[in-house]
Amino acid sequence: MSQETVYAIASGKGGVGKTTTTVNLGTALAQAGERVALVDADLGMANLAGFVSLRPDSTTLHDVLAGDASIDDATYQLTDNIVAVPSGTDLDAYADTSPEGLRDVVAELRSTYDYVILDVGAGVSHETVLPLGLADAVVLVSTPEPAAVHDAKKTLELTGRAGGEVAGLVVTRTRPDTDVSYEELAARLDLQLLGTIPEDPAARESVYAGTPLVVHDPDGPAALAYRRLAGDVAGIEAPGRPPTARNPAPSATESQSDRSTARTDDRPTDRSADEGKREAAHDDVSSAITEAETDH
């Protein structure tokens, strides 16, 4: 999958580990030296900020999509090689957003970072379907539960209608003592099984700590599984602990501008940008939403 650079992480329903996968896949790629931007594309029910300890009252993607801020204003350095673009939680701000602006956001971030990872909301709406067509590839996340797999199939259909491509399935909360075949689950959806993430108590602990699992418990089974997934995505050998950096973090002299982050410790960091432009896909998803709302 190394030819793709913009990934949408999607699921048919909430609570299956979609945001956890977004954060840990992105962090593992950053640990391997890739420059990564995490984007909370769940405009209505944003929660990425809490996973990475960003204050929800800071400038967000809502402000960008409302035309009140630039993408730089809403981009926060988390650590070496990785930034986050959180969405807001204010309903009034959400009402002022124009989801179509996400096309320009993705295009700008694509030109700057090695990987852009979109955390996509569940359900059927314009802001949910739009990222599925903008991404180079969609990664479906599901638990082994029948209801979750059934809803993942709906998201698979939505992706096709939006003109997107599904890279494969990631099954979370797997257990060794089960008769469930995860390869068979993927086969039912006619998808490649990209990886399995074992049930791990440290995953919940990392959420409460506001720290990615691959940092919170780097030697745990789920963290190792996310690193293997990152290795497959980037087309590199699965990084160990710590991964060998292939691209060192940019120096301060290479930074375009300095700005204070909205992390809870308020430490200032630098954000760097590279030149070069690549256009994001421009898929019309209105028909996809109409069909999906009719069918489901």
Side-chain angles (χ1 to χ4, degrees), residues 19-153:
T19 301
T20 297
T21 296
T22 299
V23 170
N24 286 283
L25 172 60
T27 303
L29 287 169
Q31 288 178 329
E34 306 291 344
R35 295 162 301 167
V36 180
L38 306 179
V39 181
D40 195 341
D42 190 348
L43 302 179
M45 299 291 288
N47 61 6
L48 176 64
F51 280 64
V52 292
S53 297
L54 285 175
R55 286 204 307 264
D57 60 345
S58 55
T59 303
T60 71
L61 183 59
H62 282 180
D63 301 301
V64 178
L65 298 182
D68 297 329
S70 70
I71 186 60
D72 282 350
D73 295 332
T75 302
Y76 301 92
Q77 190 88 35
L78 300 180
T79 187
D80 290 346
N81 295 337
I82 187 168
V83 302
V85 182
S87 281
T89 56
D90 184 86
L91 291 180
D92 290 334
Y94 166 65
D96 293 334
T97 62
S98 174
E100 281 295 327
L102 189 61
R103 299 180 188 276
D104 294 332
V105 169
V106 170
E108 185 169 345
L109 293 173
R110 180 197 288 274
S111 70
T112 304
Y113 298 93
D114 298 320
Y115 290 94
V116 179
I117 304 181
L118 311 175
D119 185 18
V120 182
V124 179
S125 64
H126 187 67
E127 62 265 27
T128 297
V129 179
L130 180 63
L132 302 179
L134 291 176
D136 295 330
V138 175
V139 173
L140 277 183
V141 179
S142 176
T143 66
E145 297 299 321
V149 176
H150 177 72
D151 286 349
K153 184 176 181 179

Side-chain angles (χ1 to χ4, degrees), residues 192-284:
Q192 176 186 359
L193 180 64
L194 300 178
T196 59
I197 312 298
E199 181 75 48
D200 189 342
R204 181 178 294 271
E205 296 168 6
S206 72
V207 173
Y208 285 121
T211 306
L213 178 61
V214 294
V215 175
H216 181 78
D217 185 21
D219 295 320
L224 294 175
Y226 277 122
R227 287 208 190 92
R228 285 193 294 270
L229 178 62
D232 290 341
V233 165
I236 60 176
E237 184 177 352
R241 178 182 183 265
T244 301
R246 298 194 304 146
N247 301 317
S251 66
T253 57
E254 296 172 325
S255 177
Q256 286 188 335
S257 62
D258 298 341
R259 55 189 298 272
S260 175
T261 72
R263 297 200 62 177
T264 52
D265 55 9
D266 287 331
R267 290 174 294 179
T269 58
D270 297 338
R271 179 175 180 270
S272 67
D274 293 338
E275 294 182 353
K277 298 286 185 180
R278 281 185 292 177
E279 291 186 2
H282 286 260
D283 300 289
D284 185 357

